[in-house]
Amino acid sequence: MRKFNFCAGPAALPEPVLAQAQQELLDWQGLGCSVMEVSHRSPEFTAVAERAEQDLRDLMAIPDNYKVLFLQGGATGQFSAIPWNLFGGGSKKADYIHTGQWANKAINEARRYGEVNVVASSEDRNFSYAPTADAWRESDNAAYFHYTPNETIGGVEFPYIPDVQSPLVADMSSTILSQPIPVEKFGFIYAGAQKNIGPSGIAVGIVREDLLDRALPDIPRSLSWKIAAEAQSMDNTPPTFAWYLSGLVFQWLKAQGGVEAMAELSLKKSQMLYDFLDRSGFFSSPVQKESRSRMNVPFVLADARLDQQFLKESEEAGLLNLKGHRSVGGMRASLYNAVPVEAVEALVAFMADFEQRHG
Ligand SMILES: *Cc1c(COP(=O)(O)O)cnc(C)c1O
């Protein structure tokens, strides 16, 4: 029996997508073998790859002067790839906003290759908010400006897109495809797939073409966006199954009404949970209201001694993976696209009952 899964990643996948993959696993497209067992250069797989790209372009309204890349090494690989690909264009300086653990990892990696200017940080209040635009000033002549629109661990989401001079780079791992975004405002967008796209093992990169000529000369081949773009993301063997499954998720998203429908749903789901948290005298949200994430909702119990009890009972109730990140404790419910409204309704009902009995 499928249960409601609130895992932060690898996260829930749409059930119809899993059912389709299961149904065609042994004999894919009448070839007598699975999609995992054909050449990535075969016409059948090439069609899968091209359709996935086109569907992603349609979903996100990606302009023609952007390349779509399917990459390996996760979002973490891109923490390194970004400085490698952008520090060779004349400036080895970059601006970063520090909003928590993922931003921090990106910053530390960039520091190995150039100068990082942390233009704003929310460390003063335990990373519980997104700094506002008046809090920072860009450097002159930065190679790029990096931020994390949604901090998956802290549950902090930027309610705005920074308006900056240098190319804007965004780690959208946990928020991509959850609402329409103006891609033309960005130089590079990237996301590990395992939150809001598909299985782990693949990452998506969306890069403005004019940025493909700014790499450091010694860039490792596997990190080069330019080489990936020229090879249709097949300079080496790509993770074909993850690519195929991500493509099925894109088709599913289109059938659901695309990112507009996801925006509406994500608001509805997160609002339902935040409303409950704000009414509750027992559960609470540690995140400042204006910066609360629609995707990841951390919450704490008034009495941390009940955490284990909460996790045990919630699991028995068919609500999986509510434990907060090991570094921050408490609870976290991730409400990605594949998590249905019914899951949040069941969670809120369970929490209300738990509060009645233990609060
Ligand atoms: C999960 C996550 C990452 C790390 O992704 P990997 O694919 O494991 O490297 C990076 N940034 C954000 C915002 C994430 O949510």
Side-chain angles (χ1 to χ4, degrees):
M1 184 202 123
R2 297 274 297 165
K3 298 180 178 175
F4 292 132
N5 184 4
F6 299 94
C7 193
L13 287 162
E15 192 171 328
V17 165
L18 294 175
Q20 180 176 345
Q22 178 186 43
Q23 195 259 321
E24 58 195 23
L25 187 66
L26 295 186
D27 181 7
W28 180 62
Q29 298 200 356
L31 293 177
C33 60
S34 78
V35 64
M36 281 178 278
E37 302 166 291
V38 300
S39 166
H40 54 294
R41 311 223 181 263
S42 65
E44 290 84 6
F45 191 81
T46 305
V48 167
E50 284 172 359
R51 172 146 189 212
E53 173 175 340
Q54 190 55 53
D55 284 340
L56 184 62
R57 284 186 176 277
D58 296 345
L59 283 162
M60 293 182 69
I62 299 172
D64 287 343
N65 62 326
Y66 284 74
K67 294 286 189 195
V68 173
L69 311 175
F70 291 88
L71 303 162
Q72 298 178 65
T76 304
Q78 295 308 304
F79 294 163
S80 324
I82 291 160
W84 272 110
N85 279 281
L86 295 175
F87 274 165
S91 165
K92 280 197 186 185
K93 185 164 69 175
D95 290 342
Y96 277 73
I97 306 185
H98 185 8
T99 42
Q101 292 201 28
W102 292 119
N104 192 43
K105 278 197 158 179
I107 288 167
N108 287 337
E109 197 55 22
R111 281 209 167 113
R112 303 177 61 200
Y113 307 104
E115 183 190 334
V116 167
N117 178 21
V118 176
V119 291
S121 164
S122 55
E123 193 168 9
D124 57 340
R125 279 182 274 143
N126 199 24
F127 302 113
S128 61
Y129 68 101
T132 51
D134 53 22
W136 42 265
R137 258 193 60 214
E138 289 183 71
S139 316
D140 300 326
N141 184 35
Y144 61 92
F145 185 108
H146 182 283
Y147 83 121
T148 312
N150 186 71
E151 279 282 357
T152 319
I153 294 171
V156 168
E157 183 171 8
F158 277 77
Y160 70 98
I161 297 171
D163 194 7
V164 294
Q165 301 302 312
S166 57
L168 183 60
V169 174
D171 175 0
M172 293 201 185
S173 293
S174 51
T175 182
I176 194 166
L177 293 168
S178 69
Q179 63 183 353
I181 52 149
V183 173
E184 62 280 3
K185 289 203 168 169
F186 295 84
F188 181 62
I189 290 168
Y190 65 108
Q194 68 275 16
K195 316 287 169 55
N196 226 359
I197 296 180
S200 59
I202 198 163
V204 163
I206 302 166
V207 60
R208 212 175 61 213
E209 271 167 2
D210 62 290
L211 300 178
L212 292 174
D213 286 316
R214 300 189 185 183
L216 291 166
D218 293 336
I219 184 170
R221 183 179 185 98
S222 60
L223 294 184
S224 164
W225 299 334
K226 187 177 180 138
I227 287 176
E230 284 169 356
Q232 278 76 47
S233 305
M234 293 194 192
D235 183 54
N236 70 320
T237 314
T240 50
F241 187 76
W243 198 335
Y244 149 84
L245 208 81
S246 299
L248 294 186
V249 172
F250 297 153
Q251 292 171 32
W252 175 82
L253 277 172
K254 276 184 149 179
Q256 302 303 301
V259 290
E260 287 80 8
M262 292 305 122
E264 215 172 285
L265 265 179
S266 65
L267 262 187
K268 182 175 171 179
K269 290 185 291 186
S270 56
Q271 215 51 63
M272 195 188 303
L273 186 47
Y274 287 121
D275 283 349
F276 172 77
L277 292 171
D278 289 342
R279 278 197 318 271
S280 165
F282 181 75
F283 297 101
S284 60
S285 158
V287 180
Q288 178 193 287
K289 273 197 174 148
E290 299 71 46
S291 311
R292 286 177 173 177
S293 168
R294 294 164 302 121
M295 294 289 116
N296 312 95
V297 182
F299 59 90
V300 292
L301 283 63
D303 181 354
R305 284 170 307 183
L306 288 169
D307 282 2
Q308 285 314 317
Q309 185 72 16
F310 180 86
L311 287 167
K312 181 169 168 283
E313 288 188 23
S314 57
E315 196 169 322
E316 283 163 8
L319 307 167
L320 306 183
N321 296 311
L322 287 165
K323 193 174 167 124
H325 192 271
R326 56 193 145 80
S327 63
V328 294
M331 306 299 152
R332 173 175 50 166
S334 293
L335 313 178
Y336 301 122
N337 289 341
V339 175
V341 176
E342 296 76 50
V344 187
E345 287 168 352
L347 174 61
V348 167
F350 168 79
M351 289 168 72
D353 180 59
F354 189 90
E355 180 170 354
Q356 274 251 304
R357 288 180 291 113
H358 298 283

